[in-house]
Amino acid sequence: MSKKIFLSGVQPSGKPHIGNYFGAMKQFVDLQNEHDGYVFIADYHALHSLRNPKEMSENIKNVVLDYLALGLDPQKVTFFKQSDISEHTELAWIFETITTMPYLMRAHAFKDAQARNKEIDVGTFNYPMLMAADILLYSPDVVPVGADQKQHVEIARDTAEKFNNTFGETFKLPEAMIIKDVAIIPGTDGRKMSKSYNNTIPLFAEYEEIKKCVMSIVTDSSGGIPKNVYAIHKLFRSEDELKKIYEEKAGKYKELKEMLIDDLEKFIAPLRERRKEFAKDIPKVLAILKAGSEKAKKVASAKMNEVREKIGVQVY
Ligand code: TYM
């Protein structure tokens, strides 16, 4: 039996945080042993918020280093960059022609942007169409993502069905894969950990940075248990173990935070060191990404030929 396929993407929007890691990145590294996989850098997605070319290039290099440091094996996973594969934007256009505005207006990301924003760019509105193309070009069985992206995977499924019904069976319907325990990782203020809330703990933080982040955790408590500290701590120790510790040290916030700092440092230090090793040879690291893009291009272009055939534009 052939292996199942997973696919996922991550925006090059700066330093990854432990929310990205436990919500998504860790799953890619775990899945690579039993699945064939595609992991890509969603650089065109990031354009709607990142319009500084130098920063964009730096961030892209940084994502490659991050994944290699985490143990993503380019022999097992096709690791590539979205902007290298023009089929993504091409297919997104085709999907846009079969999707209605009221349907896309129901997307959470659009509603959020609308609630916060004055003017929404067309790219933000159409975002789920590009994401549907990202996914469907590679016929994955599962799409491991954090809970915030679940609706986007559902939109990809709906779009695949719509296309299949209109033009004939072409796309496999993907499933979102979300690990229940870590569906949404809270940040230092208890809201979803996110760069836009400024409440993150960076995944490759140096010791002093870890300390600063943990000390800034807002300590709302009930019965002396600081729930925001606990919610992050449970990523590193079993709840049985933690409950005992937190009961014994009820009200001693400083001690509990110091313990979390130690646990984070134990977890992060080896990753940080591996990343520094890879960073010594950037051309080699970029060659890995380029080779991945060449592999992905073959798959995407075969699927796109099938799509062109189905919609009737393939006349030669
Ligand atoms: P992005 O770049 O915002 O986030 C990357 C992954 O990290 C997950 N994540 C979290 N999980 C749990 N708790 C959190 N606090 C948290 N913050 C982030 C996200 O769910 C995501 O899985 N649109 C996507 C990128 C994308 C994509 C795709 C993903 C583009 N095309 C196709 C899958 C398939 C995004 O902006 O993720």
Side-chain angles (χ1 to χ4, degrees):
M1 226 173 68
S2 63
K3 285 185 178 174
K4 291 215 163 178
I5 300 172
F6 81 90
L7 170 138
S8 202
V10 61
Q11 293 192 47
S13 46
K15 289 184 193 168
H17 50 72
I18 60 170
N20 298 131
Y21 177 73
F22 286 100
M25 299 163 100
K26 179 179 187 301
Q27 299 176 56
F28 310 159
V29 181
D30 293 346
L31 279 168
Q32 69 184 355
N33 297 318
E34 300 102 53
H35 289 60
D36 286 328
Y38 295 90
V39 173
F40 71 95
I41 302 176
D43 48 355
Y44 277 166
H45 276 287
L47 252 190
H48 72 91
S49 57
L50 177 54
R51 293 176 187 146
N52 174 332
K54 234 171 123 188
E55 207 180 312
M56 175 69 94
S57 308
E58 277 313 302
N59 285 2
I60 291 171
K61 288 178 203 161
N62 280 324
V63 181
V64 190
L65 287 173
D66 296 343
Y67 275 100
L68 294 177
L70 292 177
L72 193 83
D73 180 350
Q75 301 302 324
K76 294 180 180 160
V77 171
T78 306
F79 185 28
F80 69 99
K81 178 159 74 62
Q82 184 185 37
S83 60
D84 287 340
I85 322 285
S86 49
E87 283 80 356
H88 289 231
T89 44
E90 186 179 355
L91 184 57
W93 169 258
I94 294 171
F95 288 160
E96 280 155 24
T97 65
I98 59 167
T99 303
T100 67
M101 298 230 333
Y103 175 80
L104 282 185
M105 280 169 153
R106 292 201 293 271
H108 301 316
F110 168 70
K111 286 201 218 156
D112 273 7
Q114 201 179 30
R116 276 187 285 126
N117 219 335
K118 357 54 185 171
E119 280 189 345
I120 298 162
D121 57 88
V122 179
T124 300
F125 184 67
N126 287 353
Y127 189 108
M129 298 286 93
L130 182 55
M131 188 154 159
D134 296 338
I135 296 172
L136 298 173
L137 278 171
Y138 302 92
S139 316
D141 298 284
V142 287
V143 182
V145 282
D148 59 325
Q149 297 296 322
K150 184 165 182 265
Q151 190 194 32
H152 288 151
V153 180
E154 282 158 6
I155 294 177
R157 272 179 78 91
D158 286 352
T159 308
E161 268 191 303
K162 184 132 199 219
F163 186 97
N164 290 350
N165 289 338
T166 312
F167 296 109
E169 205 55 34
T170 310
F171 295 111
K172 177 145 90 185
L173 306 192
E175 299 277 349
M177 179 190 244
I178 291 150
I179 299 188
K180 286 226 166 50
D181 287 358
V182 293
I184 298 223
I185 313 289
T188 52
D189 58 0
R191 292 186 292 171
K192 172 186 142 177
M193 187 176 287
S194 166
K195 257 159 264 155
S196 40
Y197 296 149
N198 217 349
N199 64 358
T200 65
I201 300 179
L203 179 58
F204 296 96
E206 296 289 340
Y207 181 73
E208 284 306 317
E209 196 178 7
I210 298 175
K211 208 163 138 188
K212 203 166 137 226
C213 293
V214 172
M215 284 308 173
S216 77
I217 298 177
V218 180
T219 45
D220 279 357
S221 72
S222 62
I225 309 268
K227 65 177 192 313
N228 296 337
V229 182
Y230 185 92
I232 297 174
H233 217 157
K234 78 177 192 222
L235 300 167
F236 303 97
R237 284 181 194 249
S238 76
E239 293 223 48
D240 283 351
E241 193 185 358
L242 272 190
K243 273 193 185 123
K244 263 189 232 137
I245 298 171
Y246 274 66
E247 270 158 28
E248 269 165 32
K249 294 188 187 290
K252 296 181 178 158
Y253 299 157
K254 187 155 177 282
E255 277 183 44
L256 290 168
K257 282 185 170 180
E258 279 165 357
M259 203 172 159
L260 175 59
I261 294 170
D262 282 350
D263 285 346
L264 273 161
E265 170 65 10
K266 265 189 218 123
F267 171 76
I268 290 177
L271 300 178
R272 218 167 47 208
E273 291 319 306
R274 266 173 70 88
R275 196 180 185 287
K276 283 182 188 156
E277 276 307 303
F278 280 111
K280 288 180 184 158
D281 193 348
I282 297 290
K284 186 170 160 201
V285 159
L286 291 180
I288 293 176
L289 188 67
K290 190 154 181 265
S293 287
E294 281 159 13
K295 247 168 98 184
K297 178 86 185 173
K298 290 194 184 120
V299 178
S301 104
K303 195 73 196 173
M304 223 26 239
N305 277 339
E306 192 186 335
V307 169
R308 289 196 205 98
E309 189 92 42
K310 288 275 169 55
I311 64 175
V313 297
Q314 197 86 306
V315 293
Y316 331 101

